[in-house]
Each structure stands twice: as C-alpha cells, then as structure tokens.
Amino acid sequence: SNADFSGATVTMTHAGTNIPVTIQSATDNGYGDNTIVWLANVNDPDATSSWSKPAGDDVYSVGIANAIVNGGAEAYNYNVTIFDPSVPGADYKPAVVTGPSQPVLNQPNSYAFTAVSNATAYQWKSTPLSSFALTDGAESGLVNFTATTAGGYNVIDTQVKASGNAAFRLNMGDAFGQQSLTLNSTLLAGPSSQISFQSQLIYADNLVAALEVSADGGTTWTSAYSTNGLSESAFHLISVSLASYAGQTVRVRFNLIYPYDGSGIYAGFSPLGWYIDDIVFANFEQVGTEVLSPVIPGPGFSFTPTLLGDYNLSVRPQFYGAYFGDWGPSSRVTAVTGN
C-alpha cells in the first residue's frame, strides 16, 4: 500500500533469455493501490496481440526493482506460469461412465460413473451417432454449409472451379468482416478422420485461408490448416488429418482472415478470393441431437434407448449448485433388442 513505482524498473526472462518490456504506467492514479503496468514483447513488436497458446506450462521470471515502500527501496522477484486452460492438469479426474456396452432397446439400463472431487451434483447426456460421408463440390449450392460473409458477393461461383460446374468462394476484396463457410453437421472425429479439398487463392496475397476446427460447439476455433501470401495459378489438393481430435465432437469451417490494417487488398479484380471445390469428409460420424438429463446427485443413472444403433454417454460435474465442469470422456454403447 502507498508504494512509489515512479522510479521502478521491470525485467522479465524466459528460459534464461531477456524479454524486452515497456512500462505503461507507474504513477499514483489517485484511487486504489498504486500499481506498475508493463507490456512484454513476447509475440509482436507492439506487444498488443493475444498471448500465444503454449505447448505446455511455460514459466516467466519477473523482477521489479527500486519500488519505494515506507521510504526504502524494495525488490520483488516471482515467477508467472502461462498455461493452456483447455489442457487438463495431472490432477484432472473426469467422470468416467461404466456400464453395459449393449443396452437393451426401450428398457432402463443402469450406468455408474466415477465421482469428481468437490462436485455437488452431475448431469449426463446421450448422443445418437450415425455414419457420415460427404463429398460436396458446390453443385447443389449451400445445402451442407452455412456462409457468413461481407461484401455482397456470391459464395457459389461458376467462373473458377476444379471440376463440375461450380466451386465455393470466399472473398475479401470489397469488404472486411467474417468470411466463413461452416459445415452444418456436428461430427465425431476418429483416428483416421480426414478432410480433403481442392484449393486455389487468387489475388489473396495478404489473406490467411484456414480450415478451422472447434471442439466446444463453435465458441473457440483452432486452425488445422492455414496458408497465406499466395496467388495461385491452379487448384491443388489439400488433405488435413483430424486424428488429434479422435473421440471429440467437432464443428468445421473454412475461414478467410485479413490480419492487417486494410492495405494491400485487391478490389474490383475478377476472379478474386479463395476458391474451394471437391470437399470430401472421410471417416467421421455424425452427431445427432443431444439429450440432456436433469441434474442428479450421482454416482449413476439409467439410460433407456429408443432407437437401435450407437450412442455416446457422458457425464459432467456441477459445483456449488450452479456451475458445470467439462464433459467427461464419452462411453460408446450400441442399443440392441432384448432376448
């Protein structure tokens, strides 16, 4: 309290390497405790971008010197650990479902699950699964995809195509904003899941063309493939494995991004943009409508399948009677007729 940071200095190191810092504020602001604020040049020269996602826990050392407290100079040294909250820690113990692998159709089947520390209740869900195979070359228009665009252009293009009469097109030559093509179906990925497509970028030198995947229903997206700085004379085949998402429910989209300040965009050219054709989804399953149960005390539930076929069953904990944790791993079951 009442510390004076006006003459303080800040140092940061990472794995023994100095990280340049810029002090933004170190003066008395007239309210609250005095603070010192700085930017670390970790990701870009002006240090204003979001922090890059680390591959694992990443430790930075911070040193603050010459902070005046009660008339004397003090020094403070501490570590900060940057981590990816989507990666479970060693102490993560999810709710794991156990029970019959072949529940009987139209009959209650009992399942148990492991308890989660500090959980006050649980919720379980059943998700029907069906085989999914799709080849789409835009010949039938936007049947399987939803387009989010700006600029008023036609996403179905008949001028540039790899085969057939049409291709999909995303374009940022005349307007900025979200330019994406999102698959309508929600998919379950497996170890051999793959997406392939024909791709051609025309006058797209400053754009980033990405195939993105979301494992949380579309809240956050991660690039599974991306390229930029290209203007290509012909289509070429791109094949992207989603094996790293095996066992996860995913959404998929093609996304055209402009990460700069507005300069270098070609406008009025034709053809122009990212052309995508002959999209093939292989070795996926389609996820049907999830059925959520009411909150239960646990540690078990009864599942009554109403259709023959495959389902995923999973459980998530609730804390303090209000907040849900992540869904535990899915348990795959196949509903069968009784003897």
Side-chain angles (χ1 to χ4, degrees):
S1 180
N2 298 318
D4 179 0
F5 294 109
S6 59
T9 59
V10 178
T11 58
M12 284 183 64
T13 59
H14 176 254
T17 300
N18 183 61
I19 303 295
V21 301
T22 303
I23 295 178
Q24 297 293 100
S25 173
T27 59
D28 183 355
N29 57 24
Y31 54 88
D33 287 337
N34 296 334
T35 60
I36 182 167
V37 180
W38 68 92
L39 294 176
N41 183 2
V42 174
N43 297 317
D44 60 36
D46 61 7
T48 58
S49 70
S50 60
W51 203 283
S52 298
K53 181 183 292 188
D57 286 4
D58 209 7
V59 179
Y60 289 78
S61 296
V62 177
I64 300 174
N66 201 37
I68 307 302
V69 181
N70 297 324
E74 298 283 352
Y76 301 90
N77 297 278
Y78 57 92
N79 291 333
V80 175
T81 301
I82 309 299
F83 66 95
D84 181 356
S86 66
V87 177
D91 59 346
Y92 174 60
K93 301 293 189 263
V96 178
V97 177
T98 57
S101 61
Q102 294 186 323
V104 178
L105 184 70
N106 295 322
Q107 292 185 23
N109 300 264
S110 296
Y111 289 85
F113 54 86
T114 53
V116 175
S117 297
N118 301 313
T120 54
Y122 300 87
Q123 187 177 47
W124 66 277
K125 68 178 178 180
S126 63
T127 308
L129 304 172
S130 59
S131 59
F132 181 85
L134 176 65
T135 299
D136 195 336
E139 310 299 330
S140 300
L142 289 171
V143 174
N144 298 303
F145 293 89
T146 296
T148 303
T149 62
Y153 61 92
N154 193 346
V155 177
I156 306 302
D157 188 88
T158 57
Q159 182 181 7
V160 179
K161 61 268 187 184
S163 65
N165 299 314
F168 297 105
R169 175 196 182 205
L170 297 174
N171 172 36
M172 208 173 286
D174 302 314
F176 297 100
Q178 185 71 37
Q179 313 285 324
S180 62
L181 195 65
T182 305
L183 182 70
N184 294 330
S185 300
T186 299
L187 305 178
L188 178 67
S192 57
S193 294
Q194 179 176 281
I195 302 171
S196 62
F197 56 96
Q198 295 286 343
S199 173
Q200 184 177 1
L201 288 159
I202 301 178
Y203 290 118
D205 302 49
N206 292 318
L207 304 180
V208 176
L211 174 67
E212 298 179 334
V213 179
S214 173
D216 60 6
T219 301
T220 56
W221 294 87
T222 301
S223 175
Y225 162 83
S226 67
T227 185
N228 65 339
L230 299 174
S231 190
E232 301 165 325
S233 59
F235 278 93
H236 60 285
L237 179 66
I238 303 294
S239 296
V240 182
S241 170
L242 263 63
S244 61
Y245 291 91
Q248 298 185 61
T249 298
V250 298
R251 300 293 309 277
V252 176
R253 74 179 182 186
F254 296 89
N255 199 23
L256 188 64
I257 309 160
Y258 187 70
Y260 305 108
D261 60 3
S263 61
I265 283 288
Y266 295 95
F269 283 68
S270 182
L272 171 69
W274 186 18
Y275 295 85
I276 309 160
D277 203 357
D278 299 336
I279 305 170
V280 178
F281 290 81
N283 303 313
F284 289 93
E285 290 181 286
Q286 184 167 345
V287 175
T289 302
E290 297 178 340
V291 178
L292 297 177
S293 74
V295 173
I296 57 175
F301 61 89
S302 179
F303 170 52
T304 303
T306 57
L307 296 171
L308 294 173
D310 294 335
Y311 294 82
N312 268 348
L313 304 178
S314 54
V315 173
R316 65 178 177 178
Q318 187 184 54
F319 303 96
Y320 310 111
Y323 307 103
F324 286 105
D326 290 336
W327 290 103
S330 297
S331 177
R332 188 188 186 98
V333 300
T334 303
V336 297
T337 57
N339 294 329

